[in-house]
Amino acid sequence: MSTYRIHGATGEWEVVIGLEVHAQVSTNAKLFSGASTAFGAEPNSQVSLVDAAMPGMLPVPNRECIRQAVRTGMAIEAEINAWSRFDRKNYFYADLPQGYQISQLYHPIVGEGSLTIEADEKAGIPEDKVIGIERIHVEQDAGKLMHDQHPTMSYVDLNRTGVALMEIVSRPDMRSPAEAGAYVRKLRSILRYVGSCDGNMEEGSMRADVNVSVRKPGEEFGTRTETKNVNSVRFVMQAIEHEARRQVDLIEDGGTVVQETRLFDPNTGTTRSMRSKEDAHDYRYFPDPDLLPLELDEAFLAECRASLPELPDAKRARYEGELGLTPYNARELTAEVETFARFETLLAETAKALDKNEADVATQVANWSLSVAPGVMKSLGDEGDAAHATAARQAAILKMQDAGEISGGQAKEIFERVLREGREPEEIAATEGLKQVSDTGAIEAEIDKIIAANQDKVEEYRGGKDKLFGFFVGQTMKAMQGKANPAVVNQLLKDKLG
Amino acid sequence: MPTDANSLTDLGVREIRDGVAAGDFSAREVAEACNAAVASAEALNAFIVATPEKALEAANAVDAARAKGDALGPMAGVPIGMKDLFATKGVQTTAASHILEGFVPPYESTVSQKLWDAGAAMLGKLNMDQFAMGSSNETSYFGNVASPWRKAGSNAAMSPGGSSGGTSAAIAARLCPAATGTDTGGSIRQPAAFTGICGIKPTYGRCSRWGVVAFASSLDQAGPMARSVEDCAIMLGAMAGFDPKDSTSLDASVPDWFGNLDADLRGKRVGIPREYRMDGTDQAILDSWDMGAQWLRDAGAEIVEVSLPHTKYALPAYYIVAPAEASSNLARYDGVRYGLRDLPEGAGLQDMYAATRADGFGDEVKRRIMLGTYVLSAGFYDAYYTQAQKIRTLVQRDFEAAFEACDVILAPTTPTASFPLDSLNNDPLTMYLNDVFAVPASLAGLPAMSVPATLTAEGLPLGLQIVGPAMDEQGVLNAGLAIEQRAGFTARPDRWW
């Protein structure tokens, strides 16, 4: 149970949140035309006759868009509707050439599903929580109006017109900005795993309509507002905070919340009214007569299912259960596709190099991947070239470290040189003197000298002053110019000091 | 063989293509004769744009191909008219509207392209009811089309029917042997009946709708109009075929309808739908219907009575479904990207929409957009659109049940013969009743054709309609051929234009 509350003059208020996420389907071609979908092209350079709604043009569904929507539905364990249909949503606007958007109101392709957001104490999410997803439907995106190109006219760019979107509609199951943020992040992670959307909110390939209402805990849902087109996780959370506060203040001042569409202003973190329910369009939805119902056969569904990768929850569970990683490491490593992909490659490479099971090296590789390697890369900044950091080279470093040939500090130093110079780790270690001495003879010789020179301290240590052990280690390491294997040093010192 | 210009324009599709192939005359001679006929028939106002140079160009290509010994297409050397609903690359395409006046498509409709590929030549773009909405060809922005037919002893201009009225007038007046039509709720069959020619609306999905300006997508279907059943069969063969660019296109092979024409109807049952005997139907129409049944009996068919119980709901349902789709299909004519733009001084986007559409659409188009918008509106959708769709299903089931008992259905095409222009303009409901016999087959997506039967006492043509089960154009054409052979309809309008 979320304990997030708005503190009002009349007591505490609970916020109720539902999200409609629009995710651009990752395909090369639009939903109903063959035009390209690449981002950032010259205005109106990716517009087919269909997109421009020329007379007599007809939509033909793009199979890949349908496939990605179905795979996404399967990834949230949703009901897949083998029979669905496209409807027209009619309204006039300059960025909508047909005068209607082809969408799916009555029979969406994906029905009821859910996803789980993970417990995060710090964010006020005490335990894992299942968020219901009502449906996913497929629809066309609109074009873009540009108001800053001409003193009196607006320009229209139709490149985005007709691009396939999935609208993923949650249940009003979230109770805090943090839960909403976690939901969007989790959803984005799933979409990226599946490969159905790149989840890039800055480029607009994922954006959210945020439905917010407030109520006294335990009471009925209040009237909700819908804040449109919010395009980052942070903004989603800000919009909720602001909107919930605004509604509480409004109600406590004797007003009532009106059902309306609102806009989020990222500069101020506030929302403002766009149009009220009374001004709402009558979209006159009806089945698109240019398109037959979409019927998915078993073979198609089976292919969709077979092509699904291991999904975030399953992967996290495996990292903890089979690889023995900490919950924190497992969560960090599975959050993004790039992260786990790099990790798994390095894990395989390292296990091979060490001739061990993956589970036996997983913790070492996880620590390297999450903390050591990013730290070195960050400190180098532009001076390092990440392309030099191949899995083979990193595995070579981990192997030397595992064998005790190099220390943790030397591993970092070697990695730094790899990034700067693109050289091989073994060669760096050999030629740059970056190897630690595990030769017991050499270390013993130094230890003997130190014991001889510090008899008084030896007596004190033997008399029970354990703290002095560190002194001997320090002296030995110093004598070895820091290149002695600490484990060997420790062992020898223990033996000799008795 | 005839070689003078007048007799060349009397020839049909088969005669022209066979004559060109045999070298009896050149395709160019036929094109020139038709170009001249088109040029001399301005009084009919059948064409919005004439393209004589295109007709010659295509004819020359056919002649050259023949000279080289290349294989000729099934329409080789046949000049045709193209209803202005079909997008023609580089040639103005307006759907007879002001809002698309001057619009020159950079693309060619699938159906017209198939006809050019088959060797046909384009004489021009044919006038029609605006956006195919009308039954008299009086809603065109480019003026009424006059039928070449007149009542005996009268000079009153008569309606050629609609919406394919330019097509029917041009063929009946021998400006061209054949032309394209489109049929949403009778727009091929009714004008064919009014002008004493043949026309077939194939099964929904037979002809691609790609590049055809949409009126009501779930009903629109292209088809040929010509002066004989065999010409329709040839031309339909050239127009039909699966088109991946139209999701509602039928993925089925195109039969050799012409090659399989057979007027021997022994073993066939012809259904006479009881409910088509409606009040207000002309006695002459009823008489021609009885006559038609007799002709089909003569051809060997058994005549059976069938029932289509939901017939009386078909027309109201049609006038909900078709305007609903039209109101949405015509939203794209908004002044933003092509066609007319009215941008009053200081106007915003909404003002531009209003001004452009107020000026660009005719009254009938506006009426249907408003009807369609109304029936789709919140609160009315279920009462109108949903109900109409249910009726549509019931009408389809009526036909399915009837075709258990018969192979084709015989009915009148229209409840009356042609009427004078301007006589029904202020009475849209009576105008809509013109299509009362045509609309059920449209709602059910079935193949249906009209063939000329006889003349009324006033000397106006009457047609008979044959409706077949889905995909059975052959059965429809064969029954049409049996009627054609027995009707012996050779009447032609006296030239006054």
Side-chain angles (χ1 to χ4, degrees):
Chain A
M1 283 285 285
S2 171
T3 51
Y4 182 85
R5 295 287 183 274
I6 308 279
H7 304 286
T10 61
E12 297 205 321
W13 295 78
E14 186 180 45
V15 56
V16 176
I17 305 151
L19 294 174
E20 292 167 25
V21 172
H22 298 260
Q24 178 178 332
V25 180
S26 298
T27 53
N28 298 326
K30 295 182 179 180
L31 180 52
F32 295 112
S33 82
S36 166
T37 56
F39 177 78
E42 279 291 293
N44 294 310
S45 62
Q46 298 182 339
V47 185
S48 74
L49 295 169
V50 175
D51 304 326
M54 300 301 278
M57 290 301 103
L58 298 171
V60 176
N62 175 342
R63 187 184 167 89
E64 181 59 16
C65 297
I66 303 306
R67 183 174 168 271
Q68 293 296 12
V70 169
R71 294 175 73 247
T72 305
M74 288 172 168
I76 57 159
E77 282 160 28
E79 193 182 321
I80 306 299
N81 293 321
W83 191 97
S84 67
R85 203 177 61 189
F86 289 103
D87 302 302
R88 291 186 184 177
K89 177 181 181 178
N90 295 283
Y91 64 96
F92 284 94
Y93 204 53
D95 65 4
L96 188 72
Q98 295 168 135
Y100 54 84
Q101 177 197 34
I102 306 179
S103 181
Q104 297 188 301
L105 176 69
Y106 297 109
H107 299 279
I109 188 163
V110 175
E112 200 82 34
S114 67
L115 62 72
T116 304
I117 55 175
E118 281 100 44
D120 185 348
E121 289 284 357
K122 272 188 289 179
I125 306 174
E127 56 205 14
D128 287 4
K129 181 171 178 179
V130 176
I131 307 295
I133 293 177
E134 185 186 318
R135 58 189 280 159
I136 300 178
H137 66 255
V138 179
E139 63 185 22
Q140 296 176 302
D141 204 350
K144 196 172 79 183
L145 286 190
M146 296 181 283
H147 301 292
D148 54 358
Q149 311 280 311
H150 187 277
T152 60
M153 312 276 265
S154 293
Y155 284 14
V156 193
D157 176 7
L158 299 181
N159 281 353
R160 230 172 55 192
T161 303
V163 163
L165 300 179
M166 291 179 283
E167 181 168 330
I168 304 161
V169 184
S170 86
R171 294 278 176 201
D173 286 351
M174 289 155 276
R175 295 290 179 269
S176 70
E179 288 185 5
Y183 171 82
V184 174
R185 278 194 298 269
K186 184 61 177 282
L187 181 60
R188 184 173 59 186
S189 165
I190 291 172
L191 294 173
R192 285 176 170 167
Y193 267 60
V194 170
S196 59
C197 170
D198 66 22
N200 193 331
M201 297 186 87
E202 296 73 50
E203 289 179 4
S205 35
M206 196 171 147
R207 42 190 202 269
D209 296 345
V210 184
N211 288 290
V212 174
S213 64
V214 295
R215 64 174 175 184
K216 288 283 175 68
E219 291 185 357
E220 294 291 301
F221 285 162
T223 304
R224 67 187 164 86
T225 62
E226 180 180 23
T227 304
K228 287 278 196 191
N229 280 335
V230 186
N231 69 349
S232 83
V233 173
R234 192 163 58 91
F235 292 159
V236 166
M237 294 168 68
Q238 272 182 14
I240 294 165
E241 273 171 44
H242 174 268
E243 188 52 22
R245 182 82 243 175
R246 187 191 69 84
Q247 292 184 12
V248 167
D249 291 348
L250 183 65
I251 296 167
E252 293 192 332
D253 286 349
T256 43
V257 176
V258 289
Q259 191 177 335
E260 62 179 354
T261 305
R262 299 181 69 83
L263 280 179
F264 179 71
D265 182 348
N267 297 316
T268 60
T270 60
T271 67
R272 65 187 153 83
S273 181
M274 191 164 111
R275 57 172 183 264
S276 73
K277 193 187 177 190
E278 288 70 42
D279 307 327
H281 296 292
D282 179 353
Y283 290 119
R284 292 171 284 122
Y285 278 101
F286 77 110
D288 191 324
D290 282 333
L291 292 162
L292 300 175
L294 206 53
E295 294 182 56
L296 309 176
D297 59 32
E298 263 314 311
F300 180 82
L301 294 174
E303 187 283 321
C304 288
R305 197 167 282 118
S307 72
L308 282 183
E310 183 182 36
L311 293 163
D313 289 348
K315 194 179 282 293
R316 211 180 97 205
R318 182 169 64 83
Y319 280 14
E320 287 184 39
E322 290 181 20
L323 298 182
L325 299 184
T326 61
Y328 173 83
N329 278 357
R331 191 171 73 202
E332 289 298 308
L333 285 169
T334 54
E336 294 293 342
V337 172
E338 298 75 18
T339 317
F340 86 66
R342 268 199 305 272
F343 169 72
E344 291 186 359
T345 308
L346 182 56
L347 181 63
E349 195 78 32
T350 306
K352 201 175 77 186
L354 272 62
D355 195 22
K356 288 185 178 175
N357 290 325
E358 288 193 353
D360 297 331
V361 296
T363 299
Q364 187 192 358
V365 174
N367 290 336
W368 172 266
S369 298
L370 285 174
S371 123
V372 182
V376 174
M377 285 177 158
K378 198 175 164 202
S379 70
L380 269 188
D382 289 346
E383 291 169 42
D385 182 351
H388 293 321
T390 62
R393 285 174 178 155
Q394 295 182 76
I397 296 173
L398 290 169
K399 184 184 178 184
M400 289 190 284
Q401 195 182 353
D402 184 70
E405 294 168 20
I406 58 172
S407 65
Q410 286 170 328
K412 281 188 197 172
E413 255 185 88
I414 292 169
F415 188 50
E416 198 179 306
R417 284 180 181 269
V418 166
L419 288 168
R420 278 185 202 275
E421 298 157 17
R423 292 158 63 196
E424 295 307 320
E426 296 90 339
E427 182 266 326
I428 294 171
T431 56
E432 307 293 340
L434 286 166
K435 277 203 169 181
Q436 64 186 3
V437 178
S438 301
D439 171 358
T440 47
I443 299 171
E444 269 186 301
E446 291 300 331
I447 289 175
D448 290 345
K449 278 190 240 169
I450 290 163
I451 289 177
N454 295 283
Q455 275 304 317
D456 51 339
K457 293 213 164 54
V458 173
E459 290 312 317
E460 281 180 54
Y461 175 76
R462 286 180 177 150
K465 208 170 174 190
D466 290 350
K467 278 198 294 190
L468 278 171
F469 192 73
F471 164 79
F472 290 106
V473 172
Q475 289 297 307
T476 310
M477 292 306 281
K478 192 176 164 195
M480 294 297 296
Q481 286 142 3
K483 289 176 189 166
N485 182 333
V488 175
V489 171
N490 279 350
Q491 193 55 52
L492 288 174
L493 274 171
K494 269 184 194 155
D495 293 348
K496 288 193 181 278
L497 291 170
Chain B
M1 280 316 256
T3 48
D4 66 288
N6 270 338
S7 42
L8 282 176
T9 57
D10 282 348
L11 299 180
V13 171
R14 185 188 57 74
E15 294 162 319
I16 292 171
R17 68 126 196 240
D18 288 354
V20 167
D24 297 338
F25 40 79
S26 67
R28 188 180 175 91
E29 286 175 273
V30 182
E32 282 172 345
C34 289
N35 278 342
V38 170
S40 71
E42 280 180 13
L44 298 175
N45 198 29
F47 283 85
I48 295 174
V49 171
T51 55
E53 66 303 328
K54 283 210 163 282
L56 294 179
E57 194 185 307
N60 289 342
V62 167
D63 288 336
R66 181 181 176 275
K68 277 202 296 179
D70 291 350
L72 298 179
M75 295 286 290
V78 181
I80 60 170
M82 188 58 63
K83 188 176 181 180
D84 202 32
L85 209 59
F86 294 84
T88 43
K89 189 174 181 175
V91 178
Q92 177 185 264
T93 300
T94 68
S97 71
H98 182 38
I99 209 158
L100 279 177
E101 191 174 11
F103 173 67
V104 178
Y107 50 92
E108 185 79 31
S109 81
T110 298
V111 162
S112 55
Q113 187 60 53
K114 284 170 93 76
L115 286 164
W116 313 145
D117 291 347
M122 181 163 75
L123 293 165
K125 300 300 289 288
L126 288 160
N127 206 344
M128 53 181 282
D129 277 305
Q130 194 171 136
F131 283 104
M133 298 176 190
S135 304
S136 62
N137 218 115
E138 293 171 289
T139 70
S140 168
Y141 176 74
F142 301 96
N144 297 345
V145 176
S147 172
W149 294 89
R150 286 175 168 178
K151 282 185 194 169
S154 164
N155 286 332
M158 303 297 289
S159 169
S163 66
S164 308
T167 302
S168 64
I171 296 167
R174 271 71 179 166
L175 311 185
C176 53
T180 53
T182 63
D183 191 316
T184 304
S187 281
I188 285 175
R189 291 160 286 162
Q190 183 255 19
F194 274 18
T195 56
I197 65 168
C198 300
I200 180 165
K201 175 195 95 70
T203 308
Y204 179 79
R206 274 287 190 201
C207 292
S208 170
R209 294 185 295 113
W210 194 88
V212 185
V213 176
F215 161 16
S217 310
S218 74
L219 296 155
D220 294 345
Q221 192 45 211
M225 297 168 74
R227 289 188 294 269
S228 71
V229 172
E230 66 172 11
D231 286 0
C232 284
I234 292 169
M235 186 162 159
L236 180 58
M239 294 167 71
F242 174 63
D243 181 2
K245 291 189 287 187
D246 174 359
S247 306
T248 61
S249 174
L250 278 172
D251 193 357
S253 60
V254 178
D256 179 8
W257 290 306
F258 171 69
N260 290 309
L261 278 177
D262 182 359
D264 182 352
L265 301 187
R266 278 176 296 180
K268 300 287 181 194
R269 292 160 303 168
V270 174
I272 306 290
R274 187 184 305 145
E275 293 79 6
Y276 279 42
R277 291 203 180 271
M278 292 179 188
D279 294 342
T281 305
D282 281 3
Q283 189 56 44
I285 300 279
L286 296 174
D287 292 346
S288 73
W289 192 7
D290 292 341
M291 206 157 43
Q294 185 57 48
W295 289 330
L296 294 177
R297 197 177 284 122
D298 289 348
E302 180 193 347
I303 306 298
V304 296
E305 191 179 70
V306 294
S307 176
L308 300 169
H310 297 92
T311 296
K312 68 175 171 183
Y313 304 112
L315 196 68
Y318 172 85
Y319 274 99
I320 288 167
V321 173
E325 294 182 14
S327 70
S328 177
N329 281 336
L330 270 61
R332 64 187 57 198
Y333 308 109
D334 57 6
V336 175
R337 297 167 313 284
Y338 50 79
L340 182 71
R341 172 186 290 178
D342 268 10
L343 187 61
E345 186 62 35
L349 185 64
Q350 295 300 327
D351 308 308
M352 183 180 90
Y353 288 150
T356 301
R357 291 166 67 83
D359 189 24
F361 290 135
D363 288 348
E364 183 61 28
V365 174
K366 286 178 194 162
R367 178 162 26 240
R368 298 200 195 189
I369 289 175
M370 286 191 285
L371 268 174
T373 303
Y374 180 83
V375 300
L376 291 178
S377 298
F380 299 102
Y381 180 83
D382 283 335
Y384 290 99
Y385 187 81
T386 306
Q387 285 295 100
Q389 289 294 7
K390 286 181 187 165
I391 291 170
R392 190 170 183 180
T393 303
L394 292 173
V395 168
Q396 282 162 348
R397 286 190 195 152
D398 280 359
F399 278 108
E400 280 164 22
F403 286 125
E404 300 277 311
C406 67
D407 298 293
V408 292
I409 284 169
L410 178 71
T413 309
T414 57
T416 67
S418 174
F419 45 83
L421 290 172
D422 295 328
S423 62
L424 293 179
N425 272 349
N426 297 318
D427 187 0
L429 287 184
T430 307
M431 187 71 91
Y432 294 171
L433 279 173
N434 261 286
D435 292 317
V436 68
F437 296 134
V439 152
S442 295
L443 285 177
L446 303 177
M449 98 175 286
S450 180
V451 289
T454 185
L455 293 181
T456 63
E458 292 172 306
L460 295 175
L462 290 178
L464 283 169
Q465 180 180 210
I466 299 124
V467 182
M471 311 291 283
D472 191 19
E473 285 80 4
Q474 193 70 58
V476 172
L477 288 161
N478 286 350
L481 185 64
I483 290 175
E484 183 180 61
Q485 287 175 353
R486 284 160 185 80
F489 187 91
T490 54
R492 54 191 290 176
D494 293 329
R495 177 159 184 157
W496 55 263
W497 57 91

